[in-house]
Amino acid sequence: MSELCRITDRETLERQVRRIVADTPVVDLHTHLYDAGFGDLMLWGPDEMLTYHYLISELLRAERGRTSPAQFYAMSRREQADLIWQRLFLDASPISEACRGPLTVFHALGLDVSNRSLDELRGYFADRDPEEYTDHVLQTAGVTDVVMTNDPLDPHEVQMWEDGVVHDIRFHAGLRLDAIICQWAQSQPKLAAQGYDVTPDFSGRSAEEVMRFLRYWREKMDPLYMAVSLPDDFRYPADSLQTRIVEQAILPLADQDELPLALMIGVIRAVNPPLLLAGDGMGISDVRSVERMCEAWPSVRFLVTMLAQENQHGLCVAARKFPNLMPFGCWWFVNNPSLIERITRMRTEMLGLGFIPQHSDARILDQLIYKWSHFREILAEVLVDKYADLMRTGWQITAEEIQRDVSGLCSGNFWQFVS
Ligand code: FIX
Ligand code: ZN
């Protein structure tokens, strides 16, 4: 190693790590975004950002009954955004992570938030071309590729795929399985109506027919993986309908067709039903079930994220035992700076560089800017400390090695795992 490349002091280390982490392109492996080719499914702009479901639950909490969920949802998008701006940004300082997000976006776009005028901010977005704006956002966020969430039983989306939607190649499909695995009672008649021989109790030819259905959609969407959000009480093995569907159709398909499976575990849907999307909660899940699946299906690749802080350590331990298990992201209720830092530190300590530290879960295009810039700050802090620890042992590090490591975390680990 040449003398010149070596980093020998903390100041240079900090500068180099911050620069590299800020500049390294990322692949966002789980979002709910759609590109402009999907028309009205693509969400962007200030009113969408301000009515993100994370902010809706904060608003309804701040309202304390002044506005009911039903009244809120009956308002126009613009009225909802106005109310959220008033209550969460003007009536109190917007220090929550969900409030900070849009402000980071406005600032990064060069807008002045100091006079607190939402209408002025709206002016910047009026008449923008969605495709040109997509380029701008991806470039500002340093994101090269995103993975969408594509539900083969959503009629609106299905129609677009069937019509041969022409879409942005930077947006990859993720074949979503929640309707099949978690809402079989509603999905079974839909599949039967499409000519698939499936039964309410998942008997007979149901498993092979579900595989046939998913293969059809794999062909159409060319997804990078299949994905499902599972509840906290998901168990494997188990005699539940949910587990039977996973065991008899999903895992064999993942195995035979070499399609990775992303498991997002720990959501309890509709804890407070009138809040709709903002009403989901979480519970502590069972890491042993993940381990048993990894053991029973060694050639299936599992991308796994868990919602409870309490499950993060167990998931790291499981990943140490099973190379076919890739922990990813700080999901939803753990996507907050204090928890991201703790989780990322722990993952580096237990897994070195062998994990995927973050995904955005963005639903609105502009969110890519804040979700990634907030994360990059934390990743840089953690890595500076870890490289500084190495330097204290006499190990010498170079900028090229830091770049190699950060590229792995930001994109390489994902591409390697799914390809
Ligand atoms: O299941 C999921 O993919 C979750 O991420 C969503 O359901 C959730 O609403 C969300 O947006 C979390 O960030
Ligand atoms: Zn999601």
Side-chain angles (χ1 to χ4, degrees):
M1 185 175 16
S2 92
E3 280 297 326
L4 278 177
C5 304
R6 295 178 188 184
I7 296 170
T8 50
D9 62 283
R10 172 129 187 160
E11 205 182 302
T12 311
L13 175 70
E14 283 184 16
R15 205 178 53 248
Q16 292 285 12
V17 170
R18 291 218 169 88
R19 177 185 63 77
I20 291 168
V21 170
D23 293 349
T24 301
V26 303
V27 173
D28 195 338
L29 84 105
H30 170 60
T31 75
H32 297 261
L33 298 175
Y34 293 90
D35 65 79
F38 287 91
D40 61 358
L41 289 179
M42 175 190 172
L43 303 180
W44 60 285
D47 290 349
E48 295 296 345
M49 260 193 292
L50 289 172
T51 53
Y52 187 32
H53 68 78
Y54 292 25
L55 284 169
I56 293 176
S57 55
E58 290 180 27
L59 180 267
L60 291 171
R61 180 171 172 73
E63 284 297 89
R64 296 194 195 288
R66 278 179 292 190
T67 306
S68 71
Q71 285 166 331
F72 175 79
Y73 284 115
M75 294 174 177
S76 70
R77 181 71 81 230
R78 192 182 172 95
E79 288 168 341
Q80 292 174 346
D82 282 335
L83 181 59
I84 287 180
W85 185 253
Q86 182 62 45
R87 288 283 180 269
L88 299 182
F89 290 76
L90 303 182
D91 291 353
S93 295
I95 61 169
S96 77
E97 179 64 5
C99 284
R100 180 186 162 219
L103 298 178
T104 298
V105 174
F106 297 138
H107 184 66
L109 293 172
L111 305 179
D112 181 7
V113 294
S114 66
N115 67 5
R116 305 184 182 186
S117 162
L118 178 53
D119 281 337
E120 262 179 41
L121 294 167
R122 281 175 174 138
Y124 169 87
F125 297 85
D127 306 323
R128 288 207 75 133
D129 169 52
E131 284 174 21
E132 172 272 325
Y133 187 56
T134 301
D135 293 343
H136 188 55
V137 169
L138 291 182
Q139 201 194 355
T140 308
V143 173
T144 56
D145 297 80
V146 306
V147 184
M148 306 179 282
T149 295
N150 305 100
D151 176 358
L153 280 166
D154 176 287
H156 192 33
E157 187 175 342
V158 158
Q159 196 54 55
M160 296 199 189
W161 289 105
E162 294 289 10
D163 291 346
V165 63
V166 178
H167 77 101
D168 189 327
I169 54 163
R170 294 169 295 185
F171 288 64
H172 305 267
L175 179 53
R176 187 72 172 209
L177 306 175
D178 293 36
I180 303 277
I181 298 173
C182 304
Q183 294 122 32
W184 182 246
Q186 293 82 32
S187 300
Q188 182 272 333
K190 294 181 192 163
L191 285 182
Q194 291 182 33
Y196 292 93
D197 183 9
V198 290
T199 63
D201 63 355
F202 207 70
S203 58
R205 289 171 35 79
S206 298
E208 56 191 283
E209 285 290 89
V210 163
M211 288 168 75
R212 183 164 72 87
F213 171 76
L214 293 174
R215 283 186 173 124
Y216 173 84
W217 281 102
R218 183 190 190 175
E219 193 65 28
K220 199 144 265 274
M221 295 176 174
D222 190 23
L224 291 176
Y225 57 69
M226 298 184 286
V228 59
S229 284
L230 293 167
D232 60 324
D233 60 5
F234 175 79
R235 293 292 181 275
Y236 181 94
D239 193 24
S240 67
L241 179 62
Q242 224 167 51
T243 302
R244 278 193 292 125
I245 296 172
V246 171
E247 170 104 67
Q248 293 169 21
I250 308 305
L251 289 166
L253 181 69
D255 197 15
Q256 291 164 28
D257 293 20
E258 299 185 353
L259 191 55
L261 179 60
L263 303 174
M264 308 173 66
I265 313 173
V267 60
I268 306 180
R269 298 285 180 203
V271 165
N272 189 349
L275 267 62
L276 307 182
L277 204 53
D280 294 339
M282 53 149 280
I284 298 174
S285 307
D286 182 41
V287 178
R288 278 298 288 136
S289 292
V290 175
E291 290 176 334
R292 288 194 203 101
M293 261 188 293
C294 291
E295 187 185 2
W297 299 85
S299 50
V300 172
R301 286 157 293 162
F302 295 93
L303 290 150
V304 179
T305 196
M306 299 183 89
L307 201 43
Q309 182 188 191
E310 291 84 344
N311 283 131
Q312 305 303 327
H313 182 240
L315 183 61
C316 283
V317 175
R320 290 173 65 88
K321 312 297 152 191
F322 296 99
N324 58 332
L325 166 55
M326 176 63 85
F328 77 92
C330 297
W331 179 30
W332 196 350
F333 303 122
V334 290
N335 191 0
N336 297 306
S338 58
L339 298 174
I340 297 168
E341 179 173 348
R342 193 183 162 98
I343 293 166
T344 307
R345 274 185 199 283
M346 179 176 64
R347 286 174 173 170
T348 60
E349 287 156 10
M350 297 183 73
L351 302 170
L353 294 155
F355 64 99
I356 299 168
Q358 189 59 313
H359 69 275
S360 75
D361 235 303
R363 284 177 178 264
I364 298 121
L365 178 74
D366 326 50
Q367 292 175 329
L368 291 175
I369 295 175
Y370 89 77
K371 299 234 184 194
W372 285 106
S373 74
H374 292 184
F375 171 70
R376 283 180 204 268
E377 282 170 25
I378 300 163
L379 180 63
E381 289 308 312
V382 171
L383 290 179
V384 165
D385 287 348
K386 295 302 162 198
Y387 289 126
D389 288 345
L390 287 183
M391 279 164 65
R392 274 193 295 278
T393 70
W395 186 264
Q396 297 194 330
I397 197 92
T398 67
E400 290 74 19
E401 287 169 335
I402 296 171
Q403 181 63 72
R404 173 202 61 197
D405 297 347
V406 173
S407 294
L409 290 172
C410 291
S411 63
N413 291 353
F414 174 68
W415 288 127
Q416 221 173 45
F417 197 72
V418 298
S419 62

